[in-house]
Amino acid sequence: MSVRILALVGSLRAGSHNRQLAEAAARVAPEGAEVQLFEGLGDVPFYNEDIDVEGSVPAAAAKLREAAQASDAFLLLSPEYNGTIPAVLKNAIDWLSRPYGAGALVGKPAAVVGTALGQYGGVWAHDDTRKAVGIAGGKVIEDVKLSIPGSATRFAEIHPADDAEVAAQLTEVVARLHGHADEAVAA
């Protein structure tokens, strides 16, 4: 049985470097691991308890929850918007945190990585994402980190999968996440 890792990308832009990182993660996944990119975060409405009613949850939110429930671990890829986490990624975490105490993130390993334009590669956004996932019940792997600075220039003419340094770092991230997920599945 393969460990299923759900990748949630915090950028909706078609040419997003974080989406490209997610694609690269899927390519470098070790044997026994499958990284699946979730499509449709932009369709998920903002979390609102009034619409989170059993039997009438919006279809896009239900699709997100189903994909998350079927996953063994999470790889969240985030740019940095105004020094913090993009709203679309925070919204996904909010939907996955419910029902309180029994959301799809609870007890599952999660790693946060990404790239951003600035010199620190999105570190603030990544820290905020780890905090939100942890509060939502995810088992954040604090020592698995990858923040790649200067995305616009570094990946201007090369896909992250073709950048040897990034591919090696991403391979390590996915392998470590796979190991944590494998342990959790076996427990």
Side-chain angles (χ1 to χ4, degrees), residues 23-83:
E23 293 165 353
R27 288 185 210 159
V28 302
E31 186 175 331
E34 174 191 350
V35 176
Q36 173 196 5
L37 275 73
F38 182 81
E39 302 290 350
L41 279 188
D43 299 328
V44 178
F46 282 112
Y47 185 78
N48 176 341
E49 281 185 280
D50 292 340
I51 63 172
D52 187 8
V53 178
E54 190 173 336
S56 64
V57 171
K63 178 183 169 192
L64 172 63
R65 282 181 172 165
E66 288 167 12
Q69 286 291 354
S71 298
D72 302 306
F74 299 93
L75 179 62
L76 292 91
L77 300 102
S78 183
E80 189 168 87
Y81 292 173
N82 298 312

Side-chain angles (χ1 to χ4, degrees), residues 118-139:
Q119 66 182 338
Y120 301 112
V123 171
W124 291 344
H126 302 167
D127 288 345
D128 288 348
T129 304
R130 285 184 197 92
K131 177 183 174 184
V133 169
I135 290 171
K139 184 179 174 187

Side-chain angles (χ1 to χ4, degrees), residues 3 17-18 25 27 46 60 63 69 77 90 93 98-99 107 118 133 149 154 160 171 180-181:
V3 168
H17 296 122
N18 283 286
R27 288 185 210 159
F46 282 112
K63 178 183 169 192
Q69 286 291 354
L77 300 102
K90 176 63 168 70
I93 294 166
R98 299 291 189 261
V133 169
R154 182 161 192 164
T171 298
H180 282 270

Side-chain angles (χ1 to χ4, degrees), residues 107-157:
K108 293 181 182 179
V112 179
V113 301
T115 186
L117 180 62
Q119 66 182 338
Y120 301 112
V123 171
W124 291 344
H126 302 167
D127 288 345
D128 288 348
T129 304
R130 285 184 197 92
K131 177 183 174 184
V133 169
I135 290 171
K139 184 179 174 187
V140 177
I141 306 166
E142 294 288 346
D143 63 339
V144 175
K145 297 181 179 180
L146 178 58
S147 300
I148 305 164
S151 59
T153 54
R154 182 161 192 164
F155 304 123
E157 297 184 21

